[in-house]
PDB file of all heavy atoms in Angstrom:
ATOM      1  N   ASP A  30       5.916  17.344 -15.287  1.00  0.00           N
ATOM      2  CA  ASP A  30       6.664  16.821 -14.136  1.00  0.00           C
ATOM      3  C   ASP A  30       5.742  16.079 -13.172  1.00  0.00           C
ATOM      4  O   ASP A  30       6.122  15.064 -12.590  1.00  0.00           O
ATOM      5  CB  ASP A  30       7.378  17.953 -13.399  1.00  0.00           C
ATOM      6  CG  ASP A  30       8.548  18.514 -14.185  1.00  0.00           C
ATOM      7  OD1 ASP A  30       9.037  17.840 -15.120  1.00  0.00           O
ATOM      8  OD2 ASP A  30       8.978  19.644 -13.857  1.00  0.00           O
ATOM      9  N   THR A  31       4.530  16.582 -13.049  1.00  0.00           N
ATOM     10  CA  THR A  31       3.540  15.925 -12.189  1.00  0.00           C
ATOM     11  C   THR A  31       3.240  14.527 -12.701  1.00  0.00           C
ATOM     12  O   THR A  31       3.231  13.560 -11.939  1.00  0.00           O
ATOM     13  CB  THR A  31       2.248  16.768 -12.126  1.00  0.00           C
ATOM     14  OG1 THR A  31       2.566  18.059 -11.621  1.00  0.00           O
ATOM     15  CG2 THR A  31       1.199  16.118 -11.257  1.00  0.00           C
ATOM     16  N   ARG A  32       2.997  14.409 -14.008  1.00  0.00           N
ATOM     17  CA  ARG A  32       2.697  13.096 -14.602  1.00  0.00           C
ATOM     18  C   ARG A  32       3.843  12.121 -14.396  1.00  0.00           C
ATOM     19  O   ARG A  32       3.627  10.947 -14.075  1.00  0.00           O
ATOM     20  CB  ARG A  32       2.379  13.247 -16.089  1.00  0.00           C
ATOM     21  CG  ARG A  32       0.983  13.738 -16.372  1.00  0.00           C
ATOM     22  CD  ARG A  32       0.596  13.540 -17.835  1.00  0.00           C
ATOM     23  NE  ARG A  32       1.534  14.170 -18.755  1.00  0.00           N
ATOM     24  CZ  ARG A  32       1.416  15.381 -19.254  1.00  0.00           C
ATOM     25  NH1 ARG A  32       0.379  16.122 -18.933  1.00  0.00           N
ATOM     26  NH2 ARG A  32       2.311  15.870 -20.081  1.00  0.00           N
ATOM     27  N   MET A  33       5.071  12.596 -14.575  1.00  0.00           N
ATOM     28  CA  MET A  33       6.240  11.716 -14.404  1.00  0.00           C
ATOM     29  C   MET A  33       6.353  11.231 -12.953  1.00  0.00           C
ATOM     30  O   MET A  33       6.638  10.060 -12.713  1.00  0.00           O
ATOM     31  CB  MET A  33       7.514  12.435 -14.831  1.00  0.00           C
ATOM     32  CG  MET A  33       7.603  12.600 -16.329  1.00  0.00           C
ATOM     33  SD  MET A  33       9.096  13.420 -17.001  1.00  0.00           S
ATOM     34  CE  MET A  33      10.135  13.757 -15.645  1.00  0.00           C
ATOM     35  N   LEU A  34       6.131  12.117 -12.001  1.00  0.00           N
ATOM     36  CA  LEU A  34       6.217  11.742 -10.594  1.00  0.00           C
ATOM     37  C   LEU A  34       5.112  10.765 -10.213  1.00  0.00           C
ATOM     38  O   LEU A  34       5.370   9.761  -9.545  1.00  0.00           O
ATOM     39  CB  LEU A  34       6.164  12.987  -9.706  1.00  0.00           C
ATOM     40  CG  LEU A  34       6.243  12.749  -8.197  1.00  0.00           C
ATOM     41  CD1 LEU A  34       7.454  11.910  -7.812  1.00  0.00           C
ATOM     42  CD2 LEU A  34       6.242  14.085  -7.465  1.00  0.00           C
ATOM     43  N   ILE A  35       3.900  11.023 -10.671  1.00  0.00           N
ATOM     44  CA  ILE A  35       2.772  10.112 -10.403  1.00  0.00           C
ATOM     45  C   ILE A  35       3.085   8.728 -10.964  1.00  0.00           C
ATOM     46  O   ILE A  35       2.883   7.712 -10.294  1.00  0.00           O
ATOM     47  CB  ILE A  35       1.464  10.657 -11.031  1.00  0.00           C
ATOM     48  CG1 ILE A  35       1.050  11.948 -10.348  1.00  0.00           C
ATOM     49  CG2 ILE A  35       0.359   9.618 -11.009  1.00  0.00           C
ATOM     50  CD1 ILE A  35       0.224  11.816  -9.123  1.00  0.00           C
ATOM     51  N   GLN A  36       3.580   8.668 -12.191  1.00  0.00           N
ATOM     52  CA  GLN A  36       3.908   7.390 -12.817  1.00  0.00           C
ATOM     53  C   GLN A  36       4.974   6.648 -12.013  1.00  0.00           C
ATOM     54  O   GLN A  36       4.859   5.450 -11.768  1.00  0.00           O
ATOM     55  CB  GLN A  36       4.380   7.610 -14.256  1.00  0.00           C
ATOM     56  CG  GLN A  36       4.707   6.337 -14.982  1.00  0.00           C
ATOM     57  CD  GLN A  36       5.165   6.598 -16.411  1.00  0.00           C
ATOM     58  OE1 GLN A  36       5.349   7.730 -16.838  1.00  0.00           O
ATOM     59  NE2 GLN A  36       5.349   5.524 -17.162  1.00  0.00           N
ATOM     60  N   SER A  37       5.994   7.344 -11.595  1.00  0.00           N
ATOM     61  CA  SER A  37       7.065   6.724 -10.810  1.00  0.00           C
ATOM     62  C   SER A  37       6.542   6.183  -9.486  1.00  0.00           C
ATOM     63  O   SER A  37       6.860   5.060  -9.086  1.00  0.00           O
ATOM     64  CB  SER A  37       8.170   7.754 -10.561  1.00  0.00           C
ATOM     65  OG  SER A  37       9.160   7.217  -9.721  1.00  0.00           O
ATOM     66  N   LEU A  38       5.725   6.965  -8.804  1.00  0.00           N
ATOM     67  CA  LEU A  38       5.158   6.519  -7.527  1.00  0.00           C
ATOM     68  C   LEU A  38       4.283   5.282  -7.722  1.00  0.00           C
ATOM     69  O   LEU A  38       4.385   4.315  -6.964  1.00  0.00           O
ATOM     70  CB  LEU A  38       4.354   7.647  -6.874  1.00  0.00           C
ATOM     71  CG  LEU A  38       5.177   8.793  -6.293  1.00  0.00           C
ATOM     72  CD1 LEU A  38       4.307  10.014  -6.058  1.00  0.00           C
ATOM     73  CD2 LEU A  38       5.856   8.338  -4.994  1.00  0.00           C
ATOM     74  N   ARG A  39       3.441   5.299  -8.736  1.00  0.00           N
ATOM     75  CA  ARG A  39       2.553   4.155  -8.997  1.00  0.00           C
ATOM     76  C   ARG A  39       3.354   2.913  -9.363  1.00  0.00           C
ATOM     77  O   ARG A  39       3.004   1.808  -8.951  1.00  0.00           O
ATOM     78  CB  ARG A  39       1.558   4.502 -10.089  1.00  0.00           C
ATOM     79  CG  ARG A  39       0.498   5.472  -9.611  1.00  0.00           C
ATOM     80  CD  ARG A  39      -0.474   5.818 -10.698  1.00  0.00           C
ATOM     81  NE  ARG A  39      -1.502   6.728 -10.208  1.00  0.00           N
ATOM     82  CZ  ARG A  39      -2.343   7.384 -10.984  1.00  0.00           C
ATOM     83  NH1 ARG A  39      -2.295   7.215 -12.305  1.00  0.00           N
ATOM     84  NH2 ARG A  39      -3.237   8.192 -10.451  1.00  0.00           N
ATOM     85  N   GLN A  40       4.423   3.068 -10.141  1.00  0.00           N
ATOM     86  CA  GLN A  40       5.269   1.922 -10.496  1.00  0.00           C
ATOM     87  C   GLN A  40       5.909   1.308  -9.256  1.00  0.00           C
ATOM     88  O   GLN A  40       6.231   0.125  -9.243  1.00  0.00           O
ATOM     89  CB  GLN A  40       6.344   2.331 -11.499  1.00  0.00           C
ATOM     90  CG  GLN A  40       5.812   2.558 -12.884  1.00  0.00           C
ATOM     91  CD  GLN A  40       6.874   3.095 -13.839  1.00  0.00           C
ATOM     92  OE1 GLN A  40       7.929   3.571 -13.433  1.00  0.00           O
ATOM     93  NE2 GLN A  40       6.567   3.035 -15.128  1.00  0.00           N
TER      94      GLN A  40
END
Side-chain angles (χ1 to χ4, degrees):
D30 289 342
T31 301
R32 281 194 304 267
M33 288 181 3
L34 180 53
I35 294 273
Q36 181 180 6
S37 175
L38 288 163
R39 288 180 179 167
Q40 286 174 344

